Each structure stands twice: as C-alpha cells, then as structure tokens.
Amino acid sequence: MGNSLADLVANMSVAVFAPIMGFSACFGGPMLNILLGVGITGTVIMQNTHKPYDLELSHTLLVSSLGLLGLLAATLVWVPLNGYYLSRGWGVVLIVAYLMIMGTNVFVELRK
C-alpha cells in the first residue's frame, strides 16, 4: 500500500487530463517495476555468480500473481466493452476481488 500511494497520486493527476493515459499508467507502472526489478537484479546476480538465477515461487506469490492477471484480463475486456467508462459497480467488483485475493493469501499463509 505504501509503495502504491505515489502511483495513485500520479495516475489520478494524469487521468484528469487524459483518461486513457491514466488507465494505461495503471497497467504500465507495475509492469515496468516488475520487469526492470527482476530483470536488472537477475542480470546482476548472473553476472556476479555466473550461474542461472532461480526464482522461487511461493504459494502466496502464485495466488497474488494469478489474481492480478485475472483482474487485469477482466479489466482489459470489460472496459472496452463498457465504452471505456469505469462505473462505480466495476470499482466495487475490483475491490471485492482484491479483498478475496488478500483473504486467500492470509489463508494460505496461516495454513503453513
């Protein structure tokens, strides 16, 4: 939540002037962080150790990733079908889905 506050403010200010750019920034910012974060870090580690960098996928990361991809895919389909209008109902759906994903993450972590 703390890392995303700056993105929220930036995306909202961009969306005021160009709504489609704000929509694009919601997808582009996190994707760029993941790609550069893993890509640059993995490259540096491989250069220093001369071994491949193995990513360990925990159950929590798997739940979060699949949930995020599902929500992004649903948004990618829903928003154009709705005439690029983001309704309050869709916002509620996204918030409920987020809470369900986080609840699943808590359940998975407590089950260990």
Side-chain angles (χ1 to χ4, degrees):
M1 177 99 174
N3 278 345
S4 299
L5 282 177
D7 285 340
L8 174 68
V9 172
N11 292 349
M12 299 247 327
S13 61
V14 167
V16 168
F17 299 109
I20 196 69
M21 287 302 296
F23 183 69
S24 299
C26 289
F27 291 100
M31 187 169 61
L32 181 69
N33 286 338
I34 291 170
L35 292 175
L36 289 180
V38 173
I40 292 172
T41 305
T43 302
V44 168
I45 289 173
M46 288 188 300
Q47 287 291 330
N48 291 339
T49 63
H50 302 290
K51 294 182 202 170
Y53 182 68
D54 294 327
L55 290 175
E56 295 180 22
L57 297 176
S58 67
H59 294 294
T60 306
L61 182 60
L62 191 61
V63 168
S64 296
S65 299
L66 291 176
L68 175 63
L69 286 174
L71 287 176
L72 288 175
T75 302
L76 192 61
V77 170
W78 174 255
V79 171
L81 289 176
N82 202 28
Y84 294 94
Y85 176 73
L86 297 172
S87 64
R88 182 179 302 269
W90 184 246
V92 170
V93 167
L94 290 176
I95 291 171
V96 168
Y98 172 79
L99 292 174
M100 288 173 51
I101 292 167
M102 289 304 111
T104 305
N105 274 333
V106 169
F107 176 74
V108 167
E109 283 297 317
L110 290 177
R111 228 181 64 183
K112 285 186 178 182

